[in-house]
Amino acid sequence: MYAQEVKSTGQGVKSLEEMAPDERAFQEKVNAKIKIEPKDWMPEGYRKTLVRQISQHAHSEIVGQLPEGNWISRAPTLERKAILLAKVQDEAGHGLYLYCAAETLGVSRDQMTEQLLAGKAKYSSIFNYPTLTWADIGAIGWLVDGAAIMNQVPLQRCSYGPYSRAMIRICKEESFHQRQGYDIMMKLCAGTAEQKEMAQDALNRWWQPALMMFGPPDGDSVHSAQSMAWGIKQNSNDELRQKFVNETVPQAEYLGLTPPDPDVNWNEDKQGYDYGELDWNEFYEVLKGNGPCNKERLEARQKAWDDGEWFRDGLMAHARKREMRKQAAE
Amino acid sequence: MSNEWPLWEVFIRGQHGLSHRHVGSLHAPDAEIAIKNARDVYTRRNEGVSIWVVPSSDIVASAPGDKEPLYEPSNSKVYRHPTFFDIPEEAGPM
């Protein structure tokens, strides 16, 4: 989801008998649902997988501010503007909680930023789509944050303590994001025919990308088994996607909107909604950097990093100078 | 010299008279800005009435391997818990 394609570095899942004593003790802790903490022994693959996943997740929160930030200055009312500002500020906060969690694994903040700017670290494909109308802000809150919650709730039980704790904080704040989005959609759908059309158009464009946030189908998701054994991942991609569809279709119905997929139908046998094949080719293209806004997003991050350099350095120089004066006076 | 802002640990005291509690960490060039950043990052929803920040490098932590020598001794001292003692009902509330 926010980390869609995390390559784990383990060599397939080992049985307890195949493990060296350290690894076995570690795995037994994970199996017993005892949290792994920064100073505990952990397999190198576990550490690397977590650094990749948490940093992708953090980058997604930070880059995710851009499509919504696009509408802060054009929100239709002062109240909507204040709400959107608060939401985007939350995303910044979420990014910071997650960067700190990743830093406990021995990677520095600057290293992670450099990896993002060099295009080596990924962020969620969803943020490479443009926000063309105000209804997109509604659709993002409702669908994108909705999908994020679906994925993040089980991550609160992740085996790695700092990641789990960051997810608990994030989940507490995330519900507001989804509800403010749905509230925008409700308002538009109760408005003029043109406004309702705008809401439908936003659903049409965000439906597929939102379903793809859960990552490739289980059959193609090669790294899941190890992540599950390590307690990093709790549910499969398709499982969460199905859950999301089941919750979202009735919400769309309530709005009087139709998901842009003729195959969305209630399936009595599985007690869930069927949905059509997704265009995974598009997903991989967007991940590779060929989405509609990949270039723009990275340029915006690069510019923020470059423009802020004098400020970061200036404050650091000032802090050092004051520290030296203090020491000289003592 | 790296110009990355150093890391601070943040502790917040909530509304209800409880102790300061560790909530997470953040980067800041100095203590004053660490407090300001902590306000923005960790108290956006009235979570606290007081903030402490401590340079992460100044935190001394016990080693995970010391778990047994540190905590094992208290396991056998069950008499430290009030439920160890049976007080007859006739003695009244205690």
Coordinates of all heavy atoms in Angstrom, one line a residue, chain A residues 2 11 15 49 137 145 181 255 280 283 308:
Chain A
Y2 N 1.1 1.9 1.2 CA 2.0 3.0 1.2 C 3.4 2.5 0.9 O 4.3 3.2 0.5 CB 1.9 3.8 2.5 CG 0.8 4.8 2.5 CD1 -0.2 4.8 1.6 CD2 0.9 5.9 3.4 CE1 -1.2 5.7 1.5 CE2 -0.1 6.8 3.4 CZ -1.1 6.8 2.4 OH -2.1 7.7 2.4
Q11 N 16.0 -15.4 2.3 CA 16.1 -16.4 1.2 C 14.9 -17.4 1.3 O 15.1 -18.6 1.3 CB 17.4 -17.2 1.4 CG 18.5 -16.7 0.5 CD 19.4 -15.7 1.3 OE1 19.8 -16.0 2.3 NE2 19.5 -14.5 0.8
S15 N 12.5 -22.9 8.4 CA 11.8 -23.5 9.6 C 12.7 -23.2 10.8 O 13.9 -22.9 10.7 CB 11.6 -25.0 9.4 OG 12.9 -25.6 9.5
T49 N 14.4 -5.1 5.3 CA 13.1 -5.1 4.8 C 12.3 -4.0 5.5 O 11.6 -3.2 4.9 CB 12.4 -6.5 5.1 OG1 13.1 -7.5 4.4 CG2 11.0 -6.5 4.5
I137 N -10.2 16.1 -4.0 CA -9.8 16.2 -2.6 C -10.8 15.3 -1.8 O -10.4 14.6 -0.8 CB -9.8 17.7 -2.1 CG1 -8.8 18.5 -3.0 CG2 -9.5 17.8 -0.6 CD1 -7.4 17.9 -3.0
D145 N -7.3 7.7 1.7 CA -7.1 7.5 3.2 C -7.9 6.3 3.7 O -7.4 5.6 4.6 CB -7.5 8.8 3.9 CG -6.5 9.9 3.6 OD1 -5.5 9.9 4.3 OD2 -6.7 10.7 2.7
G181 N -13.1 13.6 3.8 CA -13.2 13.4 2.3 C -14.6 13.0 2.0 O -15.2 13.5 1.0
L255 N -23.9 7.6 -1.8 CA -23.7 8.9 -2.4 C -24.4 9.0 -3.8 O -24.6 10.1 -4.3 CB -22.2 9.1 -2.7 CG -21.2 9.2 -1.5 CD1 -19.8 9.2 -2.0 CD2 -21.5 10.5 -0.8
W280 N -2.6 -3.9 -14.2 CA -1.3 -3.9 -13.5 C -0.2 -3.4 -14.3 O 0.8 -3.0 -13.7 CB -1.1 -5.4 -13.0 CG -2.0 -5.7 -11.9 CD1 -3.1 -6.5 -12.0 CD2 -2.1 -5.1 -10.6 NE1 -3.8 -6.5 -10.8 CE2 -3.2 -5.7 -10.0 CE3 -1.3 -4.2 -9.9 CZ2 -3.6 -5.3 -8.7 CZ3 -1.7 -3.8 -8.6 CH2 -2.8 -4.4 -8.0
F283 N 0.1 0.1 -13.2 CA 0.7 0.1 -11.9 C 2.2 0.1 -11.9 O 2.9 0.9 -11.4 CB 0.1 -1.1 -11.0 CG 0.8 -1.3 -9.7 CD1 0.5 -0.5 -8.6 CD2 1.7 -2.3 -9.5 CE1 1.1 -0.7 -7.4 CE2 2.4 -2.5 -8.3 CZ 2.0 -1.7 -7.2
G308 N 15.6 24.8 1.1 CA 15.6 24.8 2.6 C 17.0 24.7 3.1 O 17.3 24.8 4.3

